[in-house]
Amino acid sequence: NEMKGEINRINQTLPTPTIGGIRMTAAIKQWIRSVIRRLDHYKVEHKAMLKEATTLLELALWKAKIEEKEGDSLGDVIAKKAKIDI
């Protein structure tokens, strides 16, 4: 919102000469709109990628905790079996 406000302020203060019969401020506004559309698109893509990465990290941590608990349980079984064998 802050960036859009600043762009609007700049657009209002630009001179209005023409380039090939098109008002320069109109051409610049059109270009700025296209840049903003692309930025919005990339923000959405970035958010989706972050969400997927976060999910994968959470799953990896969950798996590591399960494996750690299973490892502890297996260690207990081996220790108990070793005591029985002695």
Side-chain angles (χ1 to χ4, degrees), residues 14-76:
L14 286 173
T16 57
T18 61
I19 302 173
I22 301 174
R23 288 182 37 198
M24 189 165 63
T25 52
I28 292 171
K29 285 180 181 182
Q30 182 180 3
W31 175 78
I32 289 172
R33 283 188 199 106
S34 71
V35 170
I36 290 171
R37 276 194 303 273
R38 280 187 255 147
L39 285 173
D40 289 342
H41 170 74
Y42 289 125
K43 283 195 279 186
V44 169
E45 277 190 17
H46 181 70
K47 187 175 181 178
M49 290 172 70
L50 282 176
K51 185 175 181 178
E52 182 180 354
T54 302
T55 300
L56 289 173
L57 180 59
E58 287 174 353
L59 288 171
L61 290 171
W62 182 68
K63 181 180 178 186
K65 283 183 179 182
I66 289 174
E67 288 175 350
E68 182 180 303
K69 285 182 181 181
E70 286 177 354
D72 289 346
S73 297
L74 182 60
D76 291 343

